């Protein structure tokens, strides 16, 4: 019956029927089998309403057993909305990001999303959000990026797709939730051997340092920043360690320690970063010159035992 449906009104009526069916739980597989051809046709339609209706229905069908095919059809349907934005946030983007977020809750879709270049879409939208300081879009994007940390087997693909560079744009949005979530993700990445290199040898280090030095971040964000520095500063690669110094990691760590955060939550991890950087002889003289005075002052003012080592 479905292939015989013709005309915009008939396609809309059939699409609406399957949308209402898709709201029912536990029958997603049956609705998928009956409606896939129609949803594919409507998803590629020039009619804006039919495309959006198809997306809403597909979003409801994500729990079905054919989740990979549903994901592929969703991404092919939303791709034109990203390709046409030309660096501008469209009114549809918030809804589309919600749908991508729903897909990401199912970790077995992550490989499919990577193959479909979803990170390119997110990167383009992150740049637009940074340009317009769109906090709402930035929060949605960072939420999606965080879900990929549940798939450690994607490390090689995330590195190849330059996943970490998206945070350069996100961290330029002066919003505490975005900054906290971004630092949390970077801290997790820095704790994974398979992703350590891409968070050490990258421009995002300097961006993080600048955020800490220029902004008054929340305690939650400072805690994640302390973990991040403790991890990246223990790199066994001396070249990375020297870059950390050049990018201002030592000064950022001192800034974290000097700020009025609970020392047991922030300073303890941040100081480990300084200790780890001293493991490379080439850094020792520079580090002593840059941080000795403020470090001694901190010891005397706060009795920071860790700093004395």
């Amino acid at each position: 019956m479905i292939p015989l449906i013709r005309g915009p009104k008939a396609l809309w009526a059939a699409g609406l029927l399957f949308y209402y069916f898709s709201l029912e739980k536990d029958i997603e597989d049956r609705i998928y089998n009956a409606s896939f051809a129609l949803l594919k046709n409507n998803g590629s339609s020039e009619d804006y309403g039919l495309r959006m209706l198809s997306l809403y229905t597909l979003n409801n069908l994500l729990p079905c057993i054919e989740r990979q095919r549903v994901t592929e059809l969703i991404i092919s349907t939303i791709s034109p909305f990203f390709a046409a934005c030309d660096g501008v946030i469209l009114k549809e983007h918030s809804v589309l990001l919600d749908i991508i977020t729903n897909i990401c809750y199912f970790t077995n879709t992550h490989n499919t999303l990577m193959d479909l270049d979803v990170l390119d879409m997110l990167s383009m939208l992150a740049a637009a959000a940074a340009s317009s300081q769109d906090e709402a879009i930035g929060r949605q994007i960072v939420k999606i990026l965080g879900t990929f940390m549940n798939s450690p087997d994607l490390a090689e693909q995330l590195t190849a797709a330059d996943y970490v560079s998206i945070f350069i744009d996100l961290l330029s949005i002066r919003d505490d939730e975005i900054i906290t979530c971004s630092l949390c993700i970077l801290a997790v990445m820095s704790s994974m051997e398979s992703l350590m290199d891409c968070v050490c040898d990258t421009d995002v280090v300097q961006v993080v340092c600048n955020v800490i030095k220029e902004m008054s971040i929340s305690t939650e964000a400072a805690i994640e920043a302390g973990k991040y520095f403790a991890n990246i500063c223990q790199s066994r690669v001396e070249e990375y360690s020297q870059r950390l110094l050049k990018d201002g990691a030592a000064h950022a760590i001192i800034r974290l320690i000097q700020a009025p955060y609970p020392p047991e939550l922030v300073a303890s991890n941040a100081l480990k970063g300084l200790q780890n950087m001293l493991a490379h002889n080439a850094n020792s003289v520079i580090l002593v010159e840059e941080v000795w005075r403020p470090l001694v002052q901190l010891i005397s003012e706060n009795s920071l035992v860790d700093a004395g080592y």
Side-chain angles (χ1 to χ4, degrees):
M1 181 180 73
I2 299 301
L4 299 178
I5 295 177
R6 294 287 186 273
K9 290 184 179 180
L11 290 171
W12 177 262
L16 198 58
L17 175 67
F18 282 119
Y19 168 72
Y20 285 123
F21 280 150
S22 73
L23 295 173
E24 294 295 323
K25 294 182 179 180
D26 303 322
I27 62 170
E28 294 91 355
D29 292 312
R30 293 169 62 188
I31 302 306
Y32 166 84
N33 290 330
S35 66
F36 187 78
L38 176 76
L39 295 174
K40 185 175 182 180
N41 178 75
N42 285 358
S44 60
S45 170
E46 293 183 3
D47 186 299
Y48 172 82
L50 281 178
R51 280 187 288 158
M52 294 305 296
L53 182 60
S54 179
L55 280 173
Y56 292 140
T57 306
L58 289 165
N59 181 57
N60 293 337
L61 295 179
L62 278 168
C64 80
I65 197 168
E66 292 289 350
R67 188 173 303 127
Q68 306 300 336
R69 292 193 67 191
V70 172
T71 297
E72 290 171 359
L73 185 50
I74 288 175
I75 300 304
S76 68
T77 303
I78 70 175
S79 291
F81 289 101
F82 287 87
C85 74
D86 194 26
V88 177
I89 304 293
L90 303 178
K91 66 181 187 298
E92 296 88 0
H93 282 148
S94 181
V95 172
L96 301 180
L97 288 174
D98 280 340
I99 293 174
I100 295 175
T101 301
N102 291 339
I103 297 174
C104 289
Y105 285 135
F106 300 96
T107 56
N108 63 346
T109 66
H110 289 180
N111 271 299
T112 301
L113 291 172
M114 293 296 295
D115 291 341
L116 296 171
D117 298 324
V118 164
L119 288 186
D120 288 344
M121 298 182 195
L122 296 178
S123 178
M124 179 172 55
L125 206 55
S131 177
S132 60
Q133 288 293 295
D134 194 317
E135 298 172 0
I137 292 294
R139 290 173 185 173
Q140 288 180 284
I141 294 172
V142 78
K143 186 176 181 180
I144 293 170
L145 294 177
T147 64
F148 287 103
M149 291 297 96
N150 295 318
S151 298
D153 56 308
L154 290 180
E156 187 174 334
Q157 288 172 270
L158 291 173
T159 302
D162 206 14
Y163 167 88
V164 74
S165 69
I166 301 175
F167 293 99
I168 294 175
D169 284 319
L170 291 176
L171 286 168
S172 70
I173 303 174
R174 294 310 194 234
D175 175 75
D176 192 67
E177 183 178 334
I178 295 172
I179 290 171
T180 301
C181 291
S182 295
L183 290 172
C184 180
I185 296 168
L186 291 171
V188 172
M189 292 178 70
S190 66
S191 69
M192 301 165 63
E193 188 173 350
S194 56
L195 291 171
M196 171 69 87
D197 288 355
C198 71
V199 289
C200 286
D201 190 22
T202 172
D203 292 339
V204 80
V205 175
Q206 188 174 36
V207 173
V208 171
C209 292
N210 290 340
V211 166
I212 292 169
K213 288 184 285 187
E214 296 169 5
M215 289 184 61
S216 178
I217 61 175
S218 68
T219 298
E220 290 75 16
I223 291 170
E224 299 303 334
K227 294 175 185 176
Y228 173 68
F229 283 119
N231 290 334
I232 64 173
C233 291
Q234 67 181 341
S235 173
R236 293 184 294 273
V237 182
E238 187 165 333
E239 179 184 343
Y240 293 168
S241 187
Q242 290 174 351
R243 176 169 182 170
L244 293 176
L245 269 177
K246 182 181 177 182
D247 287 344
H251 290 291
I253 290 171
I254 291 297
R255 173 78 175 83
L256 281 176
I257 300 169
Q258 289 175 327
Y261 303 118
E264 70 279 5
L265 297 178
V266 178
S268 56
N269 276 322
L271 284 166
K272 287 175 186 174
L274 285 180
Q275 292 172 333
N276 292 333
M277 291 176 78
L278 284 167
H280 297 287
N281 293 332
N283 296 335
S284 301
V285 175
I286 301 174
L287 267 176
V288 169
E289 290 176 350
E290 291 189 356
V291 305
W292 178 251
R293 288 179 182 273
L295 200 55
V296 169
Q297 184 179 352
L298 284 167
I299 294 172
S300 62
E301 291 178 355
N302 301 288
S303 300
L304 290 172
V305 177
D306 285 347
Y309 292 104

